[in-house]
Structure formats: structure tokens, C-alpha cells
Amino acid sequence: MAKEFKITSLRLAELEKELNYLKTTREREIAAMIAEARSYGDLSENSEYDAAKNEQAKLYGRIAEIEDVLSHAVIIEDENEATGRVGLGCTVVVEDASGKQTAYRITGSQEANPMENKLSDDSPFGRAIVGKAAGESFTFSAPAGSYTMKVVSVSREG
């Protein structure tokens, strides 16, 4: 069975917009770069041509990647909204053992970005917290050790 990519409708729109840009504007730009590099003569010693062809390969790789995600996308939105439990698309505030509170957004793997506190439901943290409600504690293992945290609040704002 093919991998499913859990994404929000907002992320779906972003990917469709990026794909459109890559297939139109960016593809034309790279074709122009290749044409210009060809005009310089001997292709065997033409670094501009090699660079343009590498850009083209990256472009086609990214297009294929986006098309794969879009063809296997599963739109998720507020799947646990009625219960007030942690699920994909929600923002959760957790408290660690020292009392420090941090807010995280639970996303699918395609949207995860730990630097922006967007964590995948497939991560150890995500697997441990999904389904929990405010007031519940959970434990998860990370490379630095095992952690126990408490869910302070669950909301749907992004």
C-alpha cells in the first residue's frame, strides 16, 4: 500500500501553488538557462551547461516529489475537535517537570518543522500525545532520554 501523507487543506493549497510555479515559471527559467549555456559552445567543458542541467534535475525531482504527495494526500482537519482531545491540526500547550510550558502544533509529517514547534504525529512526542486531553500526562522517549509531560490545553487555532 502506498504511503499516505496527512496534510491540512492549507498545506495542500501551498503544494498545489508551488507545483504550478515549478511547472510554469521555473521550468521556463531553467530552459532559458540551458539555451544560453548551449550558446557558449562546447558542452563537454561548459560549467554553465552542467549547472543548468543540475538545476533542471532538481526541478524535476521536486515536481515528482510534490506530485507523489498530492496523489497520496489525506486531508486532515480537527479530527478530535468534538472530544477536546489532541489530534492532527490542533495546538497543544504542555508542561514539563520543571513547570515550563510550551505550545506545539500537531501536524502530518509533510508539515512538521520542529524549529517552528510543528511536530509530526509520527514523532515519538506526537505518538505519545495524540488522543490525550487537558490535564492528562504522557511519557515519550527521545534520544536524550525519557520525558513525562502534562497537557495544559488543547485548541484548534493555528
Side-chain angles (χ1 to χ4, degrees):
M1 184 171 150
K3 169 112 172 99
E4 290 182 342
F5 297 99
K6 298 173 189 171
I7 60 175
T8 61
S9 55
L10 178 63
R11 180 66 178 151
L12 179 71
E14 289 171 356
L15 287 172
E16 288 171 341
K17 183 178 176 183
E18 181 183 356
L19 182 62
N20 183 51
Y21 167 77
L22 294 176
K23 284 185 160 185
T24 56
T25 308
R26 189 66 184 141
E27 197 167 33
R28 283 193 299 270
E29 292 170 354
I30 291 175
M33 288 169 51
I34 291 171
E36 183 180 338
R38 276 191 180 140
S39 71
Y40 297 150
D42 184 13
L43 298 182
S44 65
E45 296 180 13
N46 188 331
S47 63
E48 287 87 357
Y49 180 77
D50 290 341
K53 290 300 279 185
N54 284 339
E55 277 298 310
Q56 185 181 46
K58 284 190 233 175
L59 170 74
Y60 290 144
R62 180 65 181 147
I63 287 172
E65 179 183 355
I66 293 172
E67 286 176 337
D68 183 51
V69 170
L70 293 177
S71 68
H72 298 102
V74 175
I75 305 303
I76 51 102
E77 292 293 345
D78 304 340
E79 59 185 28
N80 286 320
E81 185 169 18
T83 64
R85 296 194 171 275
V86 177
L88 288 166
C90 75
T91 300
V92 59
V93 177
V94 296
E95 183 176 280
D96 64 16
S98 69
K100 179 182 176 199
Q101 293 188 358
T102 309
Y104 294 101
R105 178 127 170 111
I106 306 302
T107 68
S109 60
Q110 283 292 306
E111 295 175 79
N113 184 343
M115 299 302 287
E116 296 177 2
N117 285 357
K118 294 179 180 178
L119 302 180
S120 167
D121 65 323
D122 289 332
S123 69
F125 179 90
R127 283 191 300 271
I129 198 169
V130 168
K132 300 289 186 265
E136 289 186 54
S137 294
F138 63 100
T139 302
F140 67 99
S141 295
S146 184
Y147 297 93
T148 299
M149 296 187 153
K150 180 180 176 184
V151 178
V152 176
S153 67
V154 179
S155 63
R156 297 294 159 193
E157 306 84 49

